[in-house]
């Protein structure tokens, strides 16, 4: 299994936005699907995409890629900021395709902190 890195990147970018808006992975999945359609790509199954986005939120949080935004930065318990690990993942996903290939080679385990940190360091 490989991750939908474009959707993952969208979630990471949304997490880094300032403000006190609640993090809304299902909404971001909708917007991601619309962008795909506008780019001429087939429209994905929306229920699956929304569930995937919510799962990614959990994986990113549990893996230490995002943390709850501090109150002094507009945190409300429902929004996030990127950690150093999250910034590294975002940068890899924004980089050339070889980074995504290296991530894909590790399969689902790539978002386990120790596995990701090893990939990011190499």
């Amino acid at each position: 299994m490989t991750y939908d890195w474009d959707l993952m990147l969208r979630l990471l970018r949304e997490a880094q936005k300032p403000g006190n808006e609640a993090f809304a992975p299902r909404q971001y999945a909708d917007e991601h699907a619309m962008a795909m359609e506008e780019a001429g790509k087939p429209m994905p199954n929306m229920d699956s995409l929304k569930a995937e986005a919510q799962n990614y939120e959990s994986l990113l949080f549990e893996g230490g890629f995002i943390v709850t935004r501090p109150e002094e930065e507009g945190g409300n318990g429902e929004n996030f900021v990127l950690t150093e690990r999250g910034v590294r993942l975002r940068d890899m996903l924004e980089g050339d395709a070889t980074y995504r290939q290296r991530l894909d080679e590790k399969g689902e385990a790539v978002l386990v902190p120790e596995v990701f940190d090893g990939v990011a360091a190499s």
Side-chain angles (χ1 to χ4, degrees):
M1 179 213 153
T2 60
Y3 292 103
D4 179 339
W5 294 120
D6 291 330
L7 178 58
M8 185 82 65
L9 179 58
R10 172 144 190 127
L11 296 178
L12 291 167
R13 286 177 175 162
E14 292 293 339
Q16 75 182 9
K17 287 184 176 178
N20 59 1
E21 296 294 318
F23 192 76
R26 294 176 65 82
Q27 174 187 331
Y28 307 144
D30 273 339
E31 294 166 1
H32 176 69
M34 298 306 262
M36 288 176 62
E37 188 176 46
E38 288 174 10
K41 297 179 182 174
M43 182 68 112
N45 176 294
M46 289 307 298
D47 290 335
S48 294
L49 190 66
K50 288 177 180 183
E52 188 173 33
Q54 286 188 290
N55 183 46
Y56 287 0
E57 175 187 10
S58 295
L59 290 170
L60 291 170
F61 185 77
E62 292 167 8
F65 295 90
I66 58 176
V67 294
T68 303
R69 182 179 298 277
E71 282 185 40
E72 59 273 6
E73 294 178 22
N76 60 14
E78 297 180 357
N79 53 9
F80 303 101
V81 293
L82 298 181
T83 63
E84 183 179 325
R85 182 177 289 133
V87 170
R88 285 196 318 256
L89 178 57
R90 184 204 61 209
D91 290 349
M92 290 177 80
L93 295 176
E94 290 175 338
D96 65 52
T98 58
Y99 288 119
R100 290 183 185 213
Q101 182 180 355
R102 287 180 28 212
L103 294 167
D104 283 341
E105 288 170 359
K106 296 296 181 182
E108 286 186 42
V110 75
L111 295 181
V112 172
E114 299 79 19
V115 175
F116 175 79
D117 292 345
V119 172
S122 60

